[in-house]
Structure formats: C-alpha cells, structure tokens
C-alpha cells in the first residue's frame, strides 16, 4: 500500500509540475476524439446502420475503447517494455527488493496523468452516446466498466508474457510491437467481423472486452451481465497463468547482469 501511495504521489507531483503540458494534452485528446466523432457521424450519414450498433451505441463503444486505452497507457503503460529490464540487468535491482518485481515495475512506470487527461473526452463520448439514444442501466454501466478494466488487465498480462520471452530470446521488441499492433482490432465494433473472429477476440485475445462487449452489455439483463463479466474474468485468469508460468520459468534461466 505504501508503494502505491508513493506512486500516486509522484504522479500527482508530475502533473502539478507540468500543468501547461497537461492542459495541452487534454486539448489534444479532445481533438482526437472529436475527429473520431465526426468520422462516425459521416459513416452513419452514408449507411443505414452497422450490424448490431446504432450511432448511440457506437459512441458508447468509443467511450469504452477510450477508457481501455486510458487504463493501458496510465496504469499498465510499461507492461510491454519490461523486457528491457531483463536485457540490461536492471531486473536485479527489483529482485533484491521486497515485493513482487512485476508489481514494482508496474508502479514505477505508471503515468496516471494519461488517465486524468482522458476524463473530458470520456465525458464527451458518454454525453454523445446518451443524446443519440444509447440505452444503459446503472447495473449495466457498472458491469461494463468492470469488463473494460478486466480487458485492460488482460492486455497487460499479454504484454508481460511477451516481455518474459526475453529471458530466453534477449530483445523481444518485435513481440512488443506485435502486441501494440493488435490494438488496431479495437478501432471498429466487432460485430462487423465473422462470428469465428468475434469468438477469437473474446477467448484467445482480450480485445472483445475493450469496447464491443461493454457497449453491447450496457443495457443487458443481469444474467447476460454476469456471463459477460465471468467470461472476461476467465480470459484474464488464463493470461495471468500464462505470464506467471513464463515469469517463473524465466527466472530459473536468468543470469542477471553479472552472469
């Protein structure tokens, strides 16, 4: 808990020290979201509908995608870069300290200002979704938020798994770039894909929980919300187990910077 408080304090100090930059970052984030909004309004102005999505649901989809990326780029920003600590031997420092090195690496790389700067954009997208007829219940919204968080956590585990391959392969920048490129799968609602692809994106990969499923489940029945949450948690546990296995086996062959 003390480590978490220290990490939060350092992040708050960084925001206060660079207030002008932080405000400019907020404006830049709003500009990107505004372009995205205009893009989808043009799309819906030219086609009757997307499979399973109204324009209101699409804005809700964009809300959850923005939240997913905000979490990934603030809480888990370093997950795909941990291989660098293995290659340089900096991992030795964290192994010598109390606590799980993976937690320490995550806390030291946190950039919570990325989440804070996204708040205006998230509010804008939520207002647009509701004003365009998106239907969501309080329980549905809370469950959808939980599913989005689970999606971001799962993506972090996936990136960590790629980083731990560095115990055997050395530089794994290519895996880092590959997992980054996979986020392109969050650009559009997954209802445009064949059913087999949609299933793959909710089982083997977590990107179905980055926007599509939360948007679809926001007004669903309690039974569907429970199933959706359990499915997201199940995928998270699978990737947790995969990265944990690679981490433990990797430590056995790690020779450190003095090896």
């Amino acid at each position: 808990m003390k480590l978490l408080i220290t990490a939060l304090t350092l992040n708050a100090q960084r925001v206060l020290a660079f207030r002008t930059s932080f405000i400019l970052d907020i404006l830049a984030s709003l500009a990107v979201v505004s372009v995205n909004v205009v893009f989808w309004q043009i799309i819906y102005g030219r086609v009757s509908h997307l499979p399973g999505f109204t324009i209101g649901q699409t804005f809700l989809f964009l809300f959850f995608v923005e939240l997913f990326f905000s979490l990934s780029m603030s809480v888990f920003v370093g997950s795909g870069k941990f291989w660098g600590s293995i290659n340089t031997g900096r991992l030795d420092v964290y192994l010598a300290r109390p606590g799980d090195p993976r937690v320490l690496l995550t806390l030291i790389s946190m950039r919570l200002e990325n989440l804070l700067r996204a708040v205006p954009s998230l509010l804008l997208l939520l207002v647009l979704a509701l004003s365009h007829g998106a239907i969501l219940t309080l329980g549905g919204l809370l469950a959808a938020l939980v599913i989005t968080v689970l999606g971001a956590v799962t993506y972090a585990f996936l990136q960590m798994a790629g980083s731990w391959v560095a115990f055997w392969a050395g530089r794994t920048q290519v895996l880092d770039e590959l997992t980054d490129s996979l986020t392109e799968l969050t650009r559009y609602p997954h209802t445009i894909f064949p059913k087999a692809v949609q299933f793959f994106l909710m089982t083997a990969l977590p990107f179905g929980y980055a926007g599509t499923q939360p948007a679809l489940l926001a007004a669903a029945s309690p039974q569907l919300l429970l199933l959706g949450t359990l499915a997201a948690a199940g995928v998270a546990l699978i990737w947790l187990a995969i990265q944990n296995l690679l981490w433990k086996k990797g430590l056995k062959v790690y020779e450190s910077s003095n090896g």
Side-chain angles (χ1 to χ4, degrees):
M1 181 58 69
K2 288 183 179 179
L3 288 174
L4 178 60
I5 293 174
T6 300
L8 293 175
T9 301
L10 290 174
N11 275 266
Q13 290 174 347
R14 185 164 51 244
V15 170
L16 294 174
F18 301 98
R19 288 185 290 270
T20 302
S21 176
F22 180 64
I23 292 172
L24 291 175
D25 285 342
I26 290 176
L27 295 176
S29 179
L30 281 170
V32 172
V33 167
S34 297
V35 170
N36 220 348
V37 167
V38 171
F39 168 80
W40 282 107
Q41 285 181 325
I42 292 173
I43 292 295
Y44 276 93
R46 292 181 174 272
V47 300
S48 58
H49 69 281
L50 291 179
F53 271 78
T54 64
I55 187 170
Q57 285 177 306
T58 299
F59 287 140
L60 195 58
F61 161 79
L62 294 176
F63 167 82
F64 288 115
V65 170
E66 183 72 13
L67 178 60
F68 170 83
F69 277 110
S70 298
L71 290 169
S72 296
M73 296 304 297
S74 56
V75 182
F76 308 112
V77 65
S79 300
K81 309 292 189 296
F82 291 163
W83 56 269
S85 297
I86 298 171
N87 294 162
T88 60
R90 288 200 312 271
L91 183 60
D92 294 0
V93 176
Y94 301 100
L95 289 171
R97 293 174 179 174
D100 192 314
R102 293 168 292 182
V103 174
L104 296 175
L105 284 165
T106 298
L107 290 176
I108 202 168
S109 61
M110 282 174 57
R111 294 294 182 271
L112 290 185
E113 60 268 27
N114 291 334
L115 180 59
L116 293 175
R117 75 179 186 183
V119 170
S121 297
L122 290 168
L123 291 175
L124 172 63
L125 289 169
L126 188 58
V127 169
L128 285 171
L130 294 174
S131 65
H132 283 81
I135 300 174
L136 67 160
T137 63
L138 178 59
L141 177 60
L142 292 175
L145 291 173
V146 170
I147 291 171
T148 303
V149 171
L150 286 170
V153 170
T154 306
Y155 180 52
F157 290 152
L158 185 157
Q159 288 187 305
M160 286 183 191
S163 284
W164 307 149
V165 175
F167 283 118
W168 299 274
R171 287 178 59 86
T172 55
Q173 186 174 1
V174 63
L175 291 178
D176 180 19
E177 293 173 353
L178 175 60
T179 55
D180 281 346
S181 68
L182 289 174
T183 59
E184 291 293 313
L185 294 169
T186 65
R187 280 185 172 272
Y188 309 104
H190 292 170
T191 53
I192 67 174
F193 296 137
K195 294 293 184 181
V197 175
Q198 294 183 48
F199 180 77
F200 182 74
L201 293 173
M202 291 191 297
T203 52
L205 296 177
F207 301 110
Y209 304 107
T212 300
Q213 288 305 307
L216 290 173
L217 292 172
S221 65
Q223 292 82 1
L224 284 177
L225 290 174
L226 178 60
L227 287 175
T229 305
L230 290 176
V235 177
L237 288 173
I238 289 172
W239 277 104
L240 170 62
I242 291 172
Q243 72 83 23
N244 196 50
L245 178 65
L246 290 172
W247 167 257
K248 289 183 176 180
K249 287 188 174 297
L251 286 179
K252 293 179 180 179
V253 301
Y254 179 57
E255 297 180 350
S256 84
S257 59
N258 298 315

